[in-house]
Each structure stands twice: as C-alpha cells, then as structure tokens.
Amino acid sequence: MRDRFAGVTDTSRPRLLLIDGHSMAYRAFFALPVDKFSTTSGQHTNAVHGFISMLATLLRVEEPTHVAVAFDAGSTTFRTEALPSYKGTRDATPEPFKGQVPLIKEVLEAMHVRHLDKDNFEADDILATLSSQADALGMEVLVCSGDRDSLQFVNENVTVLYPVKGVSELARMTPDAVRTKYGVEPHQYPELAALVGETSDNLPGVPGVGPKTAAKWINQFGSLEQILDRAGEIKGKAGESLRDHLDVVRLNRQLNHLLTDVELPFGPDDLRVQPWDREAMSTVFDALQFRTLRERLFAMHPSADDDENAAPAVEVTVEDLAPGLLEAWFAEHDQRPLGLEVAGRPVPAGGDAWALAIADGPGSAVALDLTDLSAADDTALSDWLSDPTRAKVVHGGKSVWHELASRGYSLEGVVFDTELAAYLCFPDQRSYDLGDLAERHLHRELTPVDTSSDQGALDLSVGEDSEGGRLAVRAAALTDLAEVLRGELGDRSAEPLLTELELPLSAVLVHMERHGIAMDVDYLRELEQHFGELVTGAAASAYEVIGREVNLGSPKQLQEVLFDQLDMPKTKKIKTGYTTDAAALADLFVKTEHPFLKFLLDHRDSTRLRQTVEGLLKSVADDGRIHTTFQQTIAATGRLSSTEPNLQNIPIRTEAGRRIRRAFVVGDGYETLLTADYSQIEMRIMAHLSGDEGLIEAFRTGEDLHNYVGSRVFQVETSAVTPAMRSKIKAMSYGLAYGLSSFGLSNQLNIDVKEASKLMEDYFTRFGGVRTYLAGVVDEARANGYTATIMGRRRYLPDLTSDNRQRREMAERMALNAPIQGSAADIIKVAMLGVEKEIAVRGLRSRLLLQVHDELILEVGHGELEELTTLVREQMGSAADLLVPLDVSVGTGSSWHDAGH
DNA sequence: GCACAGGGCTC
DNA sequence: GTGAGCCCTGTGCT
C-alpha cells in the first residue's frame, strides 16, 4: 500500500499537493465506520479523522513543498445553472457527515494549510486552475481527488492520486496509467466521460455505450467533435443510440470541462508548506478527542525544521561541576528562582529519585547523580531544597516532593508550579506534559541538543542515556515557562488561585498521600472470600437456569443469552447491539420475571464488590496503609480526583458495599477517624449564586431541604411531604445543576414527560430565581467564553457557540454545572488549607487523610477529638462567605463506616 | 501489549 | 436526551 505512494521524487523541484477537500472527506466518511469515530459529546468525526490521516500520510510520503485544499463553495455553480439536475443525486448528504467539513477546515488552519473555495465554482475548477498555473511555473503537481473529471489535466508534470479503496490506498494516475485504464489520452478523458456519463454527477450518458466503446470511437475518429460530426457513419445499436443523444453528450462535455482561469486569492507560490501551529492543533485535536492521530502527526515533525518560525534550538549550558562545588554554584545563581527537575518514581511513600537538575534558565544548569553525591554537595543540595526562602520553580511539585522524600530531602520554597499554572489556564486538557508546554509556549523542544564530541557539554552521563542532559534541558525551560504562564494567569486573573490555593494545596495533598489511610487487611481478606462465594453461587444458579455456562462478564455473550436464547424484548440500542446494563436488566426483570436476570444482577454486584476488595488489598503498602494519589490537574471543574487506587468511589449505597468501608480504620497511635462533610453544598451554592429568596430561606429555616422545597412545589405542609414527593424534588434539584431536561427527568423518575414538565414548571414558579440564574449563566458564559466559580476559577467553553447542536447543548450543560461543582471544589480546598494550617498552629498530631469532594477524613490524635472537631467545623464552615450558612456534619468512629453518618 | 467499549461505583 | 471522575473485564487489533 505504501508502494503506491513511493513514486520517483525529484527533490530539487517544488512539488505542489492539491486536494479536493469535499470529495476526499466524503470518501473518508464512507471508508471509516461512523460509530467508531465520535466524541463523547456526540460529534461524528470519522470523515475528519480519515481526511487528516490521509493528509498526514501524503505530507510524509510525498514530501510536497506546497499544499492547498479546495472545497466546493455552495450548492449552486455555473454547472447547476446550466443543468439543475447536475449532481442532483448528491443532495441527500448524510446527517453524520454534515458539520465535519468545518472541522476539517479548523484542523487545516491549525496546520497552516491553505484551503479555498469560490462561489459558483467547484473544487475541481480551483484545482484545475492552480494545477495549470503550477505546471506553467515548472512545478510538479499532485492532485488528490476522488472526482474522475480531474483526470483531464494529467500530464507528465501533473499526477492525479485517485482513491481506489477508502482514502488510504491511492492510485497514481500518470498519463500512462490513464491510457492503460481508459484507453485514451488524459486530455480526452472528459470526451469519454461525456459519452459514458457520470453517475456520481447525475449525468446520464449514451445508453449502451460504456468506456470500451467510447474509447474505441475516440481512437477511431480522433476526437469527440469528429464523433459527433460523423455520428451517421457509426453502425449498429450503439450508433443509433448515439444519434439519439447528441445533445446529452454535448451538454455533458460542456459541464465536465474544468476551468483553468478561475480568479483566486492565491497563486501556487503562496501555498508553501508552513510550520504547524501545534498549540492550535492540540486544541482542535483535544476537542475532537484524537489522541493517537495527534501523536502520529507530532511524531512526524519532531521539530519545526522550516527556516522561518522555527523553534530556536536552545542550547543549555550544563556546568560540569567537580564534586564539592555545588555550594559555590548556588552562591552564584541563587538570586533568582531556579528550575528544579527530578528523575525518579513519584509514588507516595514508596518513591525513588536518582538524578536531578537545577537550572538558572538555559544559561547555566547543573545535573546531579543522586546515587553518587559527595557529602558536601549533598549538604548543599539539602540546604537549598529545604530552605523556604530560596525560590524554586517546578513542574508537578507533588511528584517532585515524593521523589525527593525517598532520599530524605524535604522541599520548601516552591514559588511556581508550571503544571498547576497550565491547569488553571487551560483546565480542559487531559495532561500537561512539560515537553508539550515548552513546545506550545516557548516554541522550544526539550530534547537535549547533542553537541557530542566537542567537550561534551551535554554529555553528562548521569544514569543511562544521558539523563542528566535531558533533565537539564527540562529544568532550564522551567523559569522561562513560568514567566509565560504567569502572563497567562494574569490575563485570567488567576494568579491568586495558583499562589493562594492550588500551590499551598499541593503541599497539603503531599502530606495526605504520604500518610495514607490504615486498612484492616484481615477483614478485607474475609470480605474477599465472602464476596467470592457469592459470585460463585450466583454464577452457578445463572448457568443452571439457562442450561449452559457463559461468561457473565461479557456483554456480547449476555446479549446472545438474553435476546437470542431467551428471546427477551430488546433494550436500549448501543454501539455493539443492545444494552445489558443494570437499569435495563431490572426493567427486563419487571417484564419477564426471568430468574436468570436476578442471578445475573447478583453476580454483577458481587463481582464488583469482590473486585473492589481485591483492588484495595493489592494497594495496601508495607506500612499497612493505602496511599492514594490525588490528581490536582485532571477535573476541568476544579475538583480533585483520586487514582491508584481511587478512594473517591468506595461503595456506600448498599449494605454490602458499606461493609467495605469498615476496612478503612484508624491507625496505630491514633484515637479515631473523623469524617466531616458539607451537607447539600451544591444546592447551597445554587442558592447563593441565584440569590433565590425561596431557596435561601429554605436553608435558613433549618428544615430538611427537600422537604421544604417539596412543600412549596406541591403546596402542602412540610409534614405532608411524602417520601415519593421528596425523592422527586431531590432528583429535580440536583438535576437542575447538571442541565437536566424534562425528558431526562421523566426518564429518571419513571414518569411521563408531561408530568416532568409540569413538575419543573411548578418548581420554577416557586423558585423563579433559580430559573433566571440558570438562563443567565449560559448567556454570560456564551458572551465571555467562560464560566467562573466564586473564586474566579474559569472554564472555557468555546462550544457554546458551535453550530452543532449536540456540542452546543453539551457545552450548555457544562456551563450550568461548572460554576456549581467548581465553587464547591474551591470551598473545600480553602477548608483543607484552613484545617491543615490550624492543626499546625495548634501543634496537634491529628492529620488530614482523604478528601471525597464534599467530605474530609481525618485521623485524630489521642486527646484531640474535641479540639479537632471544633477546628474542623470552624474551618469548613468559614471557607466561604455565602448568602446561606455552610452546614458541616461531623462523625467519628474507628472505621470510615462508623465515622460516617 | 494496547485501545476501546461496556459496565458500574462515587460525589 | 444530567455534571465530574476512575477502573475493571472482554474484545479485537497490531
């Protein structure tokens, strides 16, 4: 397949690649499965993916010096004016294809590839014009098009790349290839097509005349004109048919003639291949959720090698320090913040570090092998690291801390964290790799420049593979990157969020991760055994019912059992068939009462619980505790997340699940566990942000929120609010903060849409401020381009103005939710800082262990319970000044389960 | 070995 | 056709 691209290339001549955007995108659309390529928001991307992937291959294999993509402008052209039915069969553009062309254009713009269209003309005319101009300039031209009309301008300088299968396999249509395939010269192709017709353009030809006959006539008579003039000489049925369709042929020929004199804003010279705007590309690819493709493209062009705009190769001077001279180096460079980068394993309470680099910008850097450090240097390093007055810039300070801790170093004086700063500026990214940031914001590659033999400036082999050089280049980028990001933060008024919130919080998180939470391992093993038995039992019963053994964990096999073998009614459709999720199975059970479903659900539950227990057991460290990692830069709303293991999704809803919480226990040397959580913090924020008097009043009365709201909505006494009413109101209240529709509400509550609409209407009648607020949030976000939390944390939502309904509505729901979820995240972060600080001020041993979004879990030192309880209540309760009180409930116990409430 | 889909748990 | 996460298994691909 690659061979098809591997034509002979003349490296001295400029080579222009022209692409018919519409036809290739359309091909791509049909070549790739539409259901396999779409974003989580529902935008289809198969055509975009296929097109860009093809473009990438062409750029790599053909190495054009110039490139452009032409699109059809509108639905009318001079051709449709001449023949309204022209391309008439194409009007039914498939829905999932619509909207993908603008996305392709976005990517092209980011890649600095010119794209053009012109009213009244087709892409082919633009290509023909550019091609003939380029040919005249002596350029070699490659035209990539799925429209056979383009074959007419093939010559020894112009080759058409015609898709034979999908968009990855292209046939190289040289003059010889055209002759072989069609039996006519390239310039005669439109004459042949005029006779044969072109179904894709809805142009009928002469009935009974195919390509073979047409080619025979053209060769016999020399030209179409001659054929038409001498049509009378042609014998047989074909001749007769021709004579009946002379007008058709003339019109076809008129339509399939491509113009070579379209006026265009650019000439071939203006189409030089440009360096990419990697930042913009990343943004678009992030939005399209193209991970692999992005990597593939970026890997293709490891460096911007074009002369202008090229990333300047920054050489980092790595000083070859003799042992014992580190102190002196610090004395010379320690006046400004220094970049610090460490090589190691950033595992909480089990990390490692083997090398490190410190840099005063690119001018001077040192790289140190931590496994082989002189005593003097070790002291100098340790003093510098632990001195809060000596400023450091790091990338992901929490990891650095864990790494350094493994060698007994502490880290103080971090004044800037480039990862946290990038997160605050661009919270929707999934990762903030230092190399990517340097590339985007400094236009700098973080690969060590190999100056090899000459005095080996970078050849400082610390560890294998010149780790020292790599680290030094990264450390050297930190201070420069910090400057750029400081500016970005300033643009967003986000500096205080970094220095007063996230940066100090990262230190708190370090402590929490390092402490971990104690586990009752013996009890966990019992649970594992217990759940294991339940799994086996449920599986055996399920097999017995259906008379065979299947893998109950395989949705595919389950579908066979349910819908083929047992012939149950079909559930909601999913990509791979019909769903077998719990809601659907419960629904099926109501309908069929088939015992298999019961056992299957039991099996699911028990398997899940066993899995959770197994995962926890594997995560227990040598100290008998689990040290999760809190991700501080993942959730776009500002929340934390927890990984390895995730301790923020430990079961609580079912009794069986709650038993797992008993395994989280107070550690030796501590009195008890304490949990403190905000009650209804999101609704309180809703009340605050909306200023709705009714909702504010609800929180001030101290009445149960959902009962109170229910009594207003249903217009009954609070004592008359039934549990059913209360749960409807609860679902509704929380749904509102997520952008819930009446359809969604009806689904959730199993009521019809009409009733759901009525419920929403009644709700808004009583709490009109909420409706006004929610509508205002979206409007404001659309106008500003972002939402903001009470502390000014922004989330940018460009899709609010998208033409695509799915994307736009998704962005609207995000706009509704982000200020609420994000403000709650801000508040608990402030509370964590307050708790940590107050504990330190009072010299308590108690310590924070976990955060679960609106809940803190602490380990209480002996005799500190009372003081700590007060302290935690105070700090959490005063973390924000809202129009409603922040209510905190506290519980204690020797396990997480017992401390819960 | 990897990426994706389906499923399910939390707030 | 309600937001934000993490992680397991099965499956199909390379």
Side-chain angles (χ1 to χ4, degrees):
Chain A
M1 178 163 110
R2 268 176 67 168
D3 293 348
R4 292 185 182 270
F5 288 113
V8 181
T9 50
D10 174 350
T11 49
S12 61
R13 257 208 310 168
R15 184 178 305 118
L16 170 65
L17 171 66
L18 296 171
I19 299 173
D20 181 337
H22 192 274
S23 88
M24 294 311 289
Y26 208 61
R27 293 255 173 184
F29 174 74
F30 287 109
L32 298 177
V34 72
D35 53 347
K36 293 272 169 62
F37 293 86
S38 57
T39 66
T40 45
S41 61
Q43 168 67 50
H44 295 292
T45 55
N46 62 330
V48 188
H49 195 282
F51 185 92
I52 300 300
S53 166
M54 171 207 75
L55 173 62
T57 308
L58 286 174
L59 290 175
R60 178 169 52 81
V61 177
E62 302 290 350
E63 298 181 328
T65 56
H66 296 66
V67 63
V69 182
F71 288 94
D72 300 330
S75 51
T76 60
T77 62
F78 69 91
R79 291 189 180 88
T80 53
E81 280 164 26
L83 181 67
S85 67
Y86 179 68
K87 292 200 175 174
T89 49
R90 288 195 188 177
D91 277 354
T93 313
E95 193 57 41
F97 180 69
K98 288 181 183 164
Q100 293 199 56
V101 168
L103 297 176
I104 290 173
K105 289 180 181 172
E106 271 184 52
V107 179
L108 291 176
E109 279 155 27
M111 292 174 77
H112 290 152
V113 170
R114 286 251 157 88
H115 62 84
L116 53 176
D117 55 38
K118 190 163 167 84
D119 272 344
N120 263 329
F121 296 93
E122 285 180 51
D124 264 345
D125 298 307
I126 297 172
L127 299 181
T129 302
L130 284 171
S131 171
S132 89
Q133 289 171 354
D135 191 8
L137 290 170
M139 295 169 99
E140 185 185 340
V141 182
L142 295 166
V143 179
C144 179
S145 172
D147 195 329
R148 276 189 286 265
D149 286 337
S150 56
L151 293 174
Q152 64 191 269
F153 49 85
V154 165
N155 64 27
E156 56 277 22
N157 292 325
V158 180
T159 303
V160 165
L161 303 174
Y162 185 84
V164 285
K165 198 180 121 195
V167 287
S168 52
E169 225 175 289
L170 304 177
R172 234 188 161 73
M173 301 305 287
T174 57
D176 267 347
V178 175
R179 276 180 217 117
T180 309
K181 177 144 189 173
Y182 297 102
V184 296
E185 290 298 312
H187 75 267
Q188 292 172 318
Y189 178 80
E191 306 190 339
L192 177 136
L195 290 164
V196 176
E198 183 69 76
T199 43
S200 67
D201 292 342
N202 199 25
L203 291 181
V206 179
V209 175
K212 293 285 175 234
T213 313
K216 192 181 82 189
W217 288 347
I218 290 171
N219 289 315
Q220 184 182 341
F221 294 95
S223 73
L224 184 66
E225 209 176 322
Q226 287 290 314
I227 295 170
L228 297 176
D229 284 351
R230 297 160 60 189
E233 301 172 21
I234 301 175
K235 296 191 178 74
K237 247 197 150 69
E240 200 174 304
S241 186
L242 171 66
R243 287 186 289 279
D244 287 344
H245 293 88
L246 293 179
D247 287 347
V248 170
V249 176
R250 284 202 187 88
L251 181 62
N252 283 353
R253 183 63 187 99
Q254 190 191 327
L255 290 173
N256 73 16
H257 170 68
L258 295 178
L259 302 183
T260 54
D261 56 357
V262 179
E263 257 186 67
L264 296 173
F266 316 115
D269 277 339
D270 303 317
L271 304 176
R272 185 166 270 286
V273 171
Q274 301 288 324
W276 297 337
D277 180 345
R278 288 170 175 248
E279 197 176 334
M281 284 170 71
S282 288
T283 308
V284 187
F285 285 169
D286 281 350
L288 295 170
Q289 297 167 3
F290 287 173
R291 262 190 27 237
T292 325
L293 187 57
R294 168 180 141 166
E295 317 258 294
R296 215 180 95 202
L297 256 76
F298 283 3
M300 252 170 71
H301 278 219
S303 63
D305 48 3
D306 238 77
D307 22 41
E308 49 206 325
N309 291 5
V314 173
E315 281 209 31
V316 175
T317 311
V318 183
E319 311 216 359
D320 200 359
L321 281 191
L325 291 183
L326 184 57
E327 185 68 67
W329 185 88
F330 276 131
E332 200 181 323
H333 295 97
D334 196 15
Q335 285 63 264
R336 300 187 295 142
L338 300 177
L340 166 66
E341 177 75 354
V342 178
R345 276 205 342 269
V347 179
D352 192 8
W354 48 87
L356 141 175
I358 303 167
D360 180 8
S364 179
V366 288
L368 304 171
D369 180 348
L370 295 176
T371 63
D372 181 28
L373 212 53
S374 73
D377 287 345
D378 183 60
T379 305
L381 177 63
S382 179
D383 288 351
W384 178 72
L385 288 171
S386 61
D387 188 341
T389 68
R390 299 166 86 179
K392 293 105 186 157
V393 174
V394 295
H395 184 79
K398 197 154 67 67
S399 298
V400 174
W401 201 98
H402 287 310
E403 289 166 334
L404 291 175
S406 70
R407 293 196 170 268
Y409 300 114
S410 69
L411 174 63
E412 305 281 346
V414 173
V415 297
F416 200 94
D417 186 319
T418 48
E419 188 181 32
L420 292 176
Y423 167 64
L424 285 168
C425 294
F426 316 106
D428 270 281
Q429 283 181 41
R430 280 306 284 186
S431 71
Y432 303 89
D433 178 76
L434 178 57
D436 290 347
L437 291 176
E439 222 170 284
R440 289 196 206 178
H441 301 289
L442 302 177
H443 310 290
R444 190 189 296 180
E445 291 277 345
L446 295 193
T447 352
V449 184
D450 187 12
T451 49
S452 351
S453 45
D454 36 284
Q455 79 251 115
L458 269 173
D459 198 27
L460 209 164
S461 301
V462 181
E464 54 203 66
D465 208 43
S466 182
E467 187 121 48
R470 192 181 63 82
L471 282 175
V473 171
R474 294 167 68 85
L478 288 173
T479 47
D480 292 343
L481 187 57
E483 282 318 299
V484 176
L485 289 173
R486 205 184 285 282
E488 296 279 353
L489 285 170
D491 293 345
R492 295 164 175 76
S493 312
E495 256 204 90
L497 278 174
L498 177 70
T499 55
E500 290 163 33
L501 194 70
E502 300 296 354
L503 206 44
L505 182 71
S506 69
V508 175
L509 296 176
V510 161
H511 298 147
M512 293 165 64
E513 293 173 357
R514 185 149 182 81
H515 295 145
I517 186 163
M519 301 302 292
D520 183 340
V521 174
D522 292 337
Y523 174 71
L524 267 184
R525 291 220 176 88
E526 281 173 33
L527 275 185
E528 185 187 23
Q529 169 89 25
H530 172 67
F531 291 136
E533 285 162 11
L534 293 185
V535 170
T536 319
S541 305
Y543 299 152
E544 201 185 325
V545 173
I546 58 168
R548 63 182 177 127
E549 293 196 10
V550 295
N551 185 343
L552 296 172
S554 162
K556 198 179 158 208
Q557 295 182 36
L558 282 181
Q559 286 180 40
E560 274 176 34
V561 173
L562 296 176
F563 307 118
D564 298 340
Q565 183 181 344
L566 300 178
D567 213 21
M568 291 191 180
K570 297 286 195 286
T571 56
K572 195 178 69 182
K573 222 170 159 40
I574 52 172
K575 283 185 185 183
T576 52
Y578 300 93
T579 185
T580 64
D581 67 18
L585 294 184
D587 192 43
L588 282 181
F589 186 69
V590 170
K591 287 180 182 154
T592 66
E593 290 190 356
H594 201 289
F596 176 72
L597 295 166
K598 195 96 200 76
F599 296 128
L600 176 55
L601 283 165
D602 281 350
H603 182 263
R604 282 249 178 96
D605 285 344
S606 307
T607 308
R608 167 84 190 172
L609 292 166
R610 187 188 56 182
Q611 252 168 225
T612 304
V613 172
E614 276 173 358
L616 291 174
L617 273 171
K618 276 188 215 135
S619 303
V620 178
D622 294 342
D623 59 1
R625 304 176 72 99
I626 292 182
H627 304 265
T628 185
T629 296
F630 287 105
Q631 303 292 342
Q632 205 181 343
T633 60
I634 295 295
T637 52
R639 270 193 181 176
L640 299 177
S641 72
S642 157
T643 57
E644 289 181 45
N646 180 2
L647 294 187
Q648 292 180 323
N649 72 341
I650 302 303
I652 193 171
R653 277 182 34 254
T654 65
E655 174 49 36
R658 281 195 291 276
R659 296 172 68 176
I660 296 178
R661 291 194 170 215
R662 294 182 203 273
F664 292 77
V665 295
V666 60
D668 288 344
Y670 287 82
E671 186 177 321
T672 186
L673 288 181
L674 181 148
T675 72
D677 63 56
Y678 284 116
S679 53
Q680 290 129 356
I681 191 167
E682 295 199 331
M683 283 309 288
R684 285 168 200 268
I685 290 165
M686 174 87 98
H688 173 80
L689 292 174
S690 68
D692 182 277
E693 290 299 336
L695 208 49
I696 291 172
E697 183 58 26
F699 285 118
R700 290 197 175 146
T701 59
E703 177 74 51
D704 173 89
L705 172 74
H706 305 302
N707 272 336
Y708 180 94
V709 173
S711 77
R712 294 304 154 104
V713 172
F714 294 113
Q715 306 193 50
V716 297
E717 292 294 313
T718 47
S719 55
V721 176
T722 63
M725 288 157 84
R726 186 179 183 279
S727 77
K728 279 182 187 173
I729 291 297
K730 188 176 173 186
M732 167 109 198
S733 288
Y734 281 96
L736 287 178
Y738 300 151
L740 184 69
S741 64
S742 51
F743 179 91
L745 186 67
S746 70
N747 238 353
Q748 162 111 18
L749 296 177
N750 250 323
I751 56 181
D752 61 45
V753 182
K754 231 169 145 189
E755 193 185 341
S757 300
K758 169 85 166 62
L759 188 60
M760 281 180 111
E761 205 41 56
D762 292 347
Y763 193 103
F764 284 136
T765 309
R766 293 291 157 171
F767 302 94
V770 174
R771 177 179 1 217
T772 313
Y773 162 72
L774 292 174
V777 166
V778 176
D779 286 343
E780 201 184 322
R782 194 180 299 113
N784 296 334
Y786 59 84
T787 62
T789 65
I790 54 175
M791 292 196 62
R793 180 194 304 275
R794 293 183 187 176
R795 180 168 189 190
Y796 289 83
L797 295 166
D799 275 0
L800 284 173
T801 56
S802 170
D803 292 334
N804 181 302
R805 204 181 86 184
Q806 279 197 59
R807 282 176 71 166
R808 190 176 60 246
E809 289 180 345
M810 184 68 177
E812 286 170 359
R813 291 192 295 273
M814 290 174 176
L816 291 172
N817 179 252
I820 296 171
Q821 190 184 118
S823 296
D826 289 349
I827 291 172
I828 197 163
K829 283 177 172 178
V830 170
M832 291 166 75
L833 293 180
V835 167
E836 169 104 344
K837 184 168 174 210
E838 224 22 59
I839 285 176
V841 166
R842 297 169 188 237
L844 303 182
R845 289 187 60 240
S846 300
R847 50 200 198 172
L848 267 173
L849 301 184
L850 299 177
Q851 186 253 46
V852 189
H853 309 310
D854 65 355
E855 174 187 17
L856 298 178
I857 293 103
L858 295 95
E859 207 162 34
V860 186
H862 287 292
E864 298 179 355
L865 180 56
E866 198 179 329
E867 187 176 6
L868 188 74
T869 305
T870 312
L871 176 164
V872 169
R873 282 189 182 282
E874 278 175 6
Q875 292 301 324
M876 289 180 73
S878 64
D881 191 14
L882 305 185
L883 297 173
V884 293
L886 278 175
D887 189 42
V888 179
S889 50
V890 174
T892 55
S894 56
S895 76
W896 192 0
H897 174 268
D898 297 332
H901 25 260

